[in-house]
Amino acid sequence: DLIIKMDPEMDSQLKIGFIGAGNMAYGIAKGILSGNILAENIQVSAPSVRNLGRFQELGVAVTHSNIEVVCGSDVVFLAVKPHLIPPVLNEIAQHITDRHIVVSVAAGITLATLEELLPENTVTVRLMPNLPCMVQEGALVFARGSHAKEEDGALLRSLLHHCGLVEEGPEAWIDIHTGLSGSGVAFVYLFAEALAEGAVKMGMPSSLAHSIASQTVLGAGRLMRDTGKHPAQLRSEVCTPGGTTIYGLHMLEQGGEHASCPSAWSHSFKTKKTHH
Ligand code: NAD
C-alpha cells in the first residue's frame, strides 16, 4: 500500500498553504492537523480578516498575501470560489515552481483549466472534499493532472488521511463524487430533518428528536461502512415480516408526494406498536 510506504518524517516537514480561508480550507486544515503535520507548517491567505480568526485559533499562520503562501509552501490548496480560480492563478502563476503540488478543490474547474493557467509541467491535482472533513469523516476523491506522478498522489493521500476516506480516480469521477458526496451530505440532512419532524409530529421534543435522528444517520452509516453490506441487505435485515419498518418503507417508496413521509410513516407506530 502506498500510504504505508510514505516516510512520516518527510511528511511532517512538508509546508502546506491554503489560498482561501473558507469552510473547506478550514475542514481540510483541521484534518491535516490531526495527522503529523504541525500548525507551524501551515499557512493560509484571504483578503479579509473576518475569515482568518479561526485559523489563528488552530495556530496556523495567516496572511493577506497569496504569493507569500505560495512561496512558503510545497503543497498549495486552492480553496476559493470557482469563479476566483482564474484571477488567483493569474496572480500566483509566476511563483509556482517544480517543487509545488497545486491542489484545487474548486467545483467544476477542470485539470485542463488549471494546467492552462499555470506554468508548463506544473503538478496539479483536482480534489473534491466534502464538509464532514471538519470532523475527520469526509469523503474525498482526487484526480491527478498530467504532470502529477503516482508519488504525488501517495503524498496527498497520506496528508489527507485524517480528513476521512480518500480515493483516487479518473477526472470524470470528480463530478460524480460532487453529487454523490458533496451534495449528498445535504440530501442526507433533508432526510434527517424529515425523520426528526415525524417524531416531533408524534409528540417528541424537537431537540431530542434531532439528536436521535443524527445518531440514527451516524449509526446507519457506520454499519454500512463497517460491514461493507449492500444497503438493500441492511434494509431487509431491519424488516420484521408484517412489521412497522416494512410498512414505513412501503410508504416511502410511494414517492414524491410523500415528501413528509417519515411523519406519515410514524403513524404506523401508533397502529403497529408491537413490531420493529
Ligand atoms: P467560502 O466562501 O467559505 O470560502 C472562500 C474563501 O476565499 C474566503 O475565506 C474568502 O475570503 C477567500 N477569498 C476570496 N477571494 C480571495 C482571493 N482573491 N484570494 C484568496 N482568498 C480569497 O467557500 P468554501 O465553501 O470554503 O468553498 C471554497 C471552494 O471549495 C469552492 O471552490 C467550492 O467549490 C469548493 N468546495 C466546497 C465544498 C463545501 O462543501 N463547502 C465542497 C467541495 C468543494
Side-chain angles (χ1 to χ4, degrees):
D1 190 12
L2 287 168
I3 299 172
I4 294 164
K5 280 190 209 147
M6 289 305 304
D7 174 358
E9 276 314 303
M10 181 192 99
D11 210 19
S12 67
Q13 298 307 312
L14 265 188
K15 302 269 191 266
I16 316 294
F18 289 90
I19 295 185
N23 286 327
M24 217 55 256
Y26 185 71
I28 297 173
K30 274 191 81 170
I32 288 178
L33 281 170
S34 55
N36 61 353
I37 299 279
L38 301 171
E40 66 196 38
N41 290 334
I42 304 184
Q43 289 185 74
V44 58
S45 62
S48 95
V49 278
R50 188 171 50 88
N51 290 306
L52 295 171
R54 59 181 172 167
F55 285 89
Q56 279 173 311
E57 282 164 26
L58 294 177
V60 166
V62 302
T63 171
H64 296 308
S65 164
N66 295 338
I67 291 168
E68 203 177 303
V69 165
V70 169
C71 294
S73 307
D74 305 301
V75 180
V76 179
F77 287 92
L78 303 172
V80 295
K81 293 289 185 199
H83 73 276
L84 290 171
I85 292 288
V88 164
L89 289 185
N90 203 19
E91 180 192 352
I92 65 170
Q94 68 191 94
H95 302 275
I96 298 286
T97 66
D98 56 9
R99 86 178 155 113
H100 287 108
I101 301 179
V102 178
V103 184
S104 164
V105 302
I109 301 290
T110 61
L111 285 166
T113 300
L114 297 172
E115 287 178 354
E116 196 185 301
L117 296 170
L118 284 163
E120 228 177 310
N121 300 329
T122 301
V123 174
T124 55
V125 174
R126 201 177 149 193
L127 170 73
M128 186 49 64
N130 69 351
L131 211 53
C133 279
M134 285 204 175
V135 291
Q136 283 87 61
E137 290 292 358
L140 304 88
V141 172
F142 71 87
R144 280 182 282 136
S146 47
H147 307 293
K149 298 196 180 67
E150 219 170 287
E151 302 93 89
D152 299 315
L155 180 80
L156 195 64
R157 259 175 195 278
S158 113
L159 193 60
L160 297 173
H161 175 63
H162 290 275
C163 292
L165 176 73
V166 187
E167 298 287 354
E168 182 181 346
E171 189 173 13
W173 290 5
I174 301 287
D175 287 340
I176 300 172
H177 177 69
T178 307
L180 174 64
S181 194
S183 312
V185 169
F187 306 154
V188 171
Y189 289 143
L190 180 69
F191 179 75
E193 192 183 333
L195 207 56
E197 256 172 29
V200 173
K201 187 174 177 185
M202 298 309 292
M204 185 179 277
S206 173
S207 62
L208 181 60
H210 284 90
S211 82
I212 292 177
S214 72
Q215 182 63 23
T216 302
V217 169
L218 182 71
R222 276 206 60 184
L223 202 57
M224 186 171 149
R225 182 182 70 184
D226 294 357
T227 61
K229 286 182 183 172
H230 192 285
Q233 171 68 31
L234 289 164
R235 197 152 54 92
S236 82
E237 287 174 14
V238 189
C239 292
T240 306
T244 54
T245 307
I246 189 70
Y247 184 92
L249 283 170
H250 187 218
M251 296 213 62
L252 285 168
E253 280 164 4
Q254 280 173 2
E257 76 269 29
H258 288 276
S260 61
C261 37
S263 53
W265 160 38
S266 59
H267 284 292
S268 69
F269 291 105
K270 257 195 172 159
T271 52
K272 289 181 167 278
K273 276 191 182 134
T274 51
H275 294 91
H276 287 293

